[in-house]
């Protein structure tokens, strides 16, 4: 007895696939032949076929159009990324140049301030660069790159673009040290304007040094101008120091005009030559006047005595009766 053959979906799918492939090949061959035929009627048919079929296939072209757009956008994104990286590098360079330009601008402004300060025409100056700041809780000073070879001497005043900074205290061959007004060893005679009261500006290692030994503190008000007095020929007179302010301890202090936070250039004022002090006693009392020789003193006494005695004898002679009688006779 013969067995029945089992039929499944695969047995039907193969002939159908072959049929569809054959039809698809025939259609392609037909289109190929249609596009190869050179005839006016066939040309009109081709045009009508394209007009009726192509617009309805926009949905099929969308994925291709989208893919082409994505490729173009990716290329554009890669180009933008490279441009962004280049701009970032240029921005870093520009920041460095900007920082350098700001530093040069600050230095230029300070040099211009130094040139615009009005000083006594008799005072010449030497401008130096601050090499180091040796400020500490116990000593406040700076180091300049000018020294004895530039003619710098001890005691000369130093200023920044606005006000007095300190004075030279220690000179080397190529460098010099400036003791600041805020140092505890600094003592500067000053004048408070407009009252004209004289005082002593004493450093105490604080930003606001106090005023000491005021003649009349009642005449001094916060905001008054403080300048050097020139007493003792220590510093030139009329150099701006700062303004009076009332401290937290109820003492009159001075807000310094110089910018101590940014000392880059300092002007060293050439003061007049001072007479050196060789005798410490001359600071306390004037030298004694030399006494006259004894011989001259005796002669002077005799000379002074003779007229007196002569005058007295004459008086006695003139006043005595014997003299009168002798004269009458």
């Amino acid at each position: 007895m013969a067995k029945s053959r089992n039929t499944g979906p695969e047995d039907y799918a193969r002939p159908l696939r072959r049929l569809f492939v054959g039809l698809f090949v025939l259609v392609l061959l037909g289109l190929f032949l249609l596009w190869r035929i050179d005839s006016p009627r066939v040309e009109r048919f081709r045009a009508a076929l394209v007009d009726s079929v192509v617009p309805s296939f926009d949905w099929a072209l969308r994925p291709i159009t989208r893919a082409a757009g994505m490729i173009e956008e990716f290329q554009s994104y890669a180009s933008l990324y490279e441009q962004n990286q280049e701009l970032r590098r240029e921005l870093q360079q520009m920041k460095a140049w900007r920082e350098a330009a700001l530093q040069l601008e600050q230095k230029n402004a300070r040099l211009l301030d130094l040139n615009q300060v009005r000083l006594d025409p008799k005072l010449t100056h030497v401008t130096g660069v601050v090499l180091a700041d040796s400020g500490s809780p116990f000593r406040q000073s700076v180091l300049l790159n000018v020294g004895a070879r530039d003619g710098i001497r001890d005691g000369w005043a130093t200023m920044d673009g606005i006000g007095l900074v300190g004075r030279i205290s220690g000179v080397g061959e190529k460098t010099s040290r400036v003791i600041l007004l805020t140092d505890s060893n600094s003592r500067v005679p000053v004048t408070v304007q407009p009252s004209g009261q004289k005082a002593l500006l004493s450093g105490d290692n604080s930003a606001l040094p106090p005023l000491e030994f005021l003649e009349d503190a009642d005449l001094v008000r916060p905001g008054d101008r403080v300048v050097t007095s020139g007493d003792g020929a220590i510093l030139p007179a009329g150099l701006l120091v700062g303004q009076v302010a009332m401290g937290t301890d109820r003492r009159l202090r001075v807000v310094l005009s110089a910018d101590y936070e940014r000392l880059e250039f300092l002007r060293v004022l050439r003061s007049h030559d001072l007479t050196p002090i060789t005798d410490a006693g001359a600071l306390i009392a004037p030298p004694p006047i030399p006494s006259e020789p004894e011989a001259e003193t005796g002669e002077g006494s005799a000379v002074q005595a003779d007229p007196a005695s002569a005058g007295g004898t004459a008086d006695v002679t003139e006043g005595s009766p014997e003299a009168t009688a002798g004269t009458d006779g």
Side-chain angles (χ1 to χ4, degrees):
M1 182 177 180
K3 296 181 180 179
S4 61
R5 185 179 178 184
N6 295 327
T7 58
E10 188 67 23
D11 295 334
Y12 296 102
R14 286 179 182 179
L16 290 176
R17 281 199 301 267
R18 291 174 183 177
L19 178 61
F20 286 131
V21 170
L23 292 176
F24 185 70
V25 172
L26 291 176
V27 170
L28 291 178
L29 288 174
L31 291 175
F32 176 75
L33 294 174
L34 181 63
W35 252 257
R36 296 295 297 177
I37 297 174
D38 187 9
S39 173
R41 293 181 179 180
V42 176
E43 182 66 27
R44 288 195 294 271
F45 177 75
R46 287 199 296 262
L49 182 63
V50 170
D51 291 340
S52 60
V53 174
V54 171
S56 62
F57 278 89
D58 289 341
W59 58 271
L61 297 176
R62 287 177 184 175
I64 300 175
T65 306
R66 293 285 181 88
M70 291 176 63
I71 294 173
E72 292 179 357
E73 290 177 358
F74 179 78
Q75 293 177 350
S76 177
Y77 174 78
S79 177
L80 289 176
Y81 179 78
E82 292 179 358
Q83 293 180 2
N84 189 16
Q85 293 299 321
E86 184 66 23
L87 290 175
R88 286 179 181 274
R89 288 191 293 269
E90 292 181 359
L91 182 60
Q92 293 295 331
Q93 295 177 357
M94 292 300 294
K95 286 183 178 180
W97 282 109
R98 178 177 176 274
E99 188 67 23
L102 289 176
Q103 294 179 0
L104 291 176
E105 184 180 1
Q106 292 176 358
K107 291 182 179 180
N108 189 26
R110 291 187 176 278
L111 289 175
L112 289 176
D113 290 338
L114 288 175
N115 291 329
Q116 292 174 359
V117 174
R118 295 182 179 180
L119 299 174
D120 189 348
K122 297 180 181 179
L123 294 175
T124 58
H125 64 273
V126 177
T127 301
V129 179
V130 177
L131 297 178
D133 185 356
S134 61
S136 66
F138 306 101
R139 181 175 177 83
Q140 297 187 5
S141 62
V142 295
L143 196 66
L144 296 181
N145 67 338
V146 291
R149 66 176 182 179
D150 304 297
I152 304 299
R153 298 184 184 179
D154 275 330
W156 284 2
T158 59
M159 301 183 65
D160 69 346
I162 302 177
L164 184 67
V165 173
R167 57 183 174 83
I168 299 294
S169 177
V171 180
E173 182 63 24
K174 299 180 180 179
T175 59
S176 58
R177 185 170 299 279
V178 178
I179 181 173
L180 304 181
L181 296 179
T182 55
D183 189 89
S184 59
N185 295 320
S186 175
R187 301 290 186 273
V188 177
V190 296
T191 300
V192 182
Q193 297 176 348
S195 62
Q197 299 295 310
K198 293 186 176 182
L200 192 67
L201 182 66
S202 301
D204 59 351
N205 291 334
S206 67
L208 303 177
L211 288 174
E212 297 181 350
F213 306 109
L214 273 169
E215 297 176 349
D216 190 355
D218 295 335
L219 299 179
V220 178
R221 297 289 183 272
D224 289 350
R225 193 166 180 262
V226 180
V227 298
T228 55
S229 64
D231 293 341
I234 299 176
L235 297 175
L239 302 180
L240 178 63
V241 177
Q243 293 182 343
V244 178
M246 182 65 69
T248 56
D249 54 355
R250 309 304 299 172
R251 297 178 62 185
L252 292 176
R253 295 179 176 269
V254 176
V255 179
L256 300 176
S257 298
D259 189 359
Y260 280 76
E261 297 297 329
R262 294 183 296 178
L263 294 179
E264 297 181 5
F265 301 94
L266 292 183
R267 169 184 286 179
V268 183
L269 303 182
R270 292 191 180 98
S271 303
H272 58 279
D273 294 335
L274 301 178
T275 305
I277 299 174
T278 57
D279 185 9
L283 295 175
I284 301 175
I289 300 175
S291 60
E292 297 179 357
E294 296 180 356
E296 296 179 359
T297 305
E299 292 177 359
S301 302
V303 171
Q304 293 176 358
D306 292 339
S309 59
T313 306
D315 293 340
V316 172
T317 304
E318 291 177 359
S320 60
E322 293 81 4
T324 305
T327 303
D328 294 337

